[in-house]
């Protein structure tokens, strides 16, 4: 990406903003996931799809022949100059695990007190400002891992950086990618637990997931299948979970809904564990 300044590592916001983002973007859009909305702002002729994704008025890519998309890109007007906020991305789990020894050293030295995983799905309904406030309330000696569309609630803020004992400076907010990269977050947690010789549940780790169904169901069930406890979800509970089932999940996995007071929830997460 650094060698080609016309390429961006990331652009736009959460899925529910695409009708605005794609309308303002003058070039073609290639959609590969089910998060695609039916256009209503006159950009449907610039939408190309692959795999099982399709929309009325869009163009399906046949096989791997992307020539129609390339022709459309050449026909579209040049993109206008538009100042954008720059942020650091690319924290694949392999990158973070490359710093695992330094992170462990920082935890033992008290430089890093806690790790928060804040992410999941995003939506437009009220209550999701909770995640923005939660991230803002995390202390300066903590790391924030984020992924999925939920990251758009927290990624456009400056949380500062942490200097590891080795002298390496890392941003407090580490953007690990999208929903499918939940696998990477699990890899990071598992590797840290291995180095500390403890379970994931014994790590100074708090998981707060924003909920909206779809792929989030498989992510949550995967975490539960791995025995991860203490997960907080919200602003609403999963629609597929009855009160009885939710009670069992609370009892066996300490699964809870987020509260109304993000600051109080952060303080609770940082409080020493009691027997």
């Amino acid at each position: 990406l650094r060698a080609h300044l016309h390429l961006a590592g990331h652009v736009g916001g959460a899925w529910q903003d695409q009708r605005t983002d794609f309308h303002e973007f003058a070039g073609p859009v290639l959609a590969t996931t089910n998060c695609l909305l039916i256009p209503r702002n006159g950009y449907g002729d610039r939408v190309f799809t692959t795999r099982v994704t399709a929309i009325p008025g869009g163009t399906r890519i046949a096989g791997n022949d992307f020539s129609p998309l390339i022709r459309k890109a050449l026909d579209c007007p040049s993109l206008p100059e538009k100042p954008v906020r720059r942020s650091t991305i690319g924290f694949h789990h392999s990158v973070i695990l490359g710093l695992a020894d330094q992170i462990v050293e920082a935890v033992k030295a008290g430089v890093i007190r806690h790790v928060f995983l804040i992410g999941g799905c995003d939506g437009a309904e009220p209550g999701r400002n909770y995640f923005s406030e939660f991230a803002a309330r995390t202390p300066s000696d903590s790391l924030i891992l984020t992924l999925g569309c939920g990251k758009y609630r927290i990624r456009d803020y400056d949380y500062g950086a942490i200097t590891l004992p080795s002298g390496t400076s890392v941003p407090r907010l580490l953007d690990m990618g999208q929903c499918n990269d939940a696998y990477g977050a699990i890899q990071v947690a598992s590797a840290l637990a291995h180095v500390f010789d403890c379970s994931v549940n014994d790590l100074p780790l708090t998981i707060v997931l924003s909920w909206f169904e779809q792929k989030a169901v498989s992510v949550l069930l995967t975490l539960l299948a791995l025995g991860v406890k203490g997960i907080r979800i919200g602003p609403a509970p999963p629609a597929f979970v009855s009160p009885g089932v939710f009670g069992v999940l609370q009892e066996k996995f300490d699964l809870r809904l987020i509260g109304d007071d993000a600051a109080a929830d952060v303080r609770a997460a940082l409080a020493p564990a009691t027997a």
Side-chain angles (χ1 to χ4, degrees):
L1 292 177
R2 293 190 182 96
H4 304 279
L5 297 181
H6 59 293
L7 296 179
H10 176 90
V11 64
W15 65 269
Q16 72 268 15
D17 297 330
Q18 66 183 259
R19 287 185 172 127
T20 299
D21 291 338
F22 293 173
H23 178 69
E24 293 179 349
F25 177 72
V29 174
L30 174 64
T32 62
T33 76
N34 65 322
C35 294
L36 182 65
L37 299 176
I38 296 177
R40 65 184 181 199
N41 290 329
Y43 59 84
D45 64 319
R46 293 189 282 109
V47 176
F48 296 78
T49 62
T50 64
R51 305 172 189 169
V52 297
T53 305
I55 58 166
T59 302
R60 290 294 302 277
I61 295 295
N64 291 317
D65 181 11
F66 291 92
S67 56
L69 184 148
I70 295 172
R71 287 195 298 270
K72 174 61 73 172
L74 294 174
D75 291 339
C76 288
S78 299
L79 300 179
E81 290 291 337
K82 182 179 180 181
V84 296
R85 180 187 179 278
R86 295 181 178 272
S87 60
T88 303
I89 60 173
F91 290 99
H92 185 265
H93 67 267
S94 60
V95 175
I96 298 178
L97 290 180
L99 298 171
D101 291 342
Q102 297 182 51
I103 292 175
V104 170
E105 183 182 357
V107 172
K108 292 180 177 179
V111 176
I112 297 177
R113 183 178 15 157
H114 206 83
V115 178
F116 294 91
L117 174 58
I118 309 173
C121 295
D122 196 14
E125 73 275 17
R128 294 184 179 271
N129 58 313
Y130 169 93
F131 301 96
S132 306
E133 184 178 351
F134 189 98
R137 297 283 185 165
T138 58
S140 60
D141 56 356
S142 65
L143 289 178
I144 305 172
L145 305 182
T146 191
L147 49 79
C149 288
K151 69 184 179 181
Y152 298 108
R153 294 284 169 173
I154 68 174
R155 73 184 301 272
D156 291 330
Y157 300 90
D158 184 3
Y159 299 95
I162 288 182
T163 301
L164 303 179
S166 64
T168 300
S169 179
V170 297
R172 283 191 56 225
L173 179 69
L174 304 178
D175 186 344
M176 298 188 66
Q178 282 294 351
C179 301
N180 296 336
D181 294 302
Y183 166 82
I186 293 172
Q187 292 298 305
V188 170
S190 298
L192 291 177
H194 176 73
V195 174
F196 278 110
D197 192 23
C198 66
S199 72
V200 171
N201 297 317
D202 293 324
L203 291 172
L205 171 67
T206 296
I207 301 176
V208 185
L209 298 180
S210 50
W211 192 260
F212 196 76
E213 304 289 358
Q214 295 185 343
K215 293 184 289 293
V217 176
S218 60
V219 173
L220 177 63
L221 294 182
T222 299
L223 292 172
L224 297 180
L226 293 172
V228 178
K229 298 182 179 180
I231 300 172
R232 300 295 178 264
I233 60 176
F240 68 91
V241 176
S242 65
V245 171
F246 198 54
V248 173
L249 295 178
Q250 287 178 311
E251 178 183 354
K252 293 187 176 297
F253 296 99
D254 191 25
L255 181 70
R256 302 181 188 178
L257 291 178
I258 61 175
D260 297 325
D261 188 339
D265 288 351
V266 171
R267 291 194 297 269
L270 296 172
T274 57

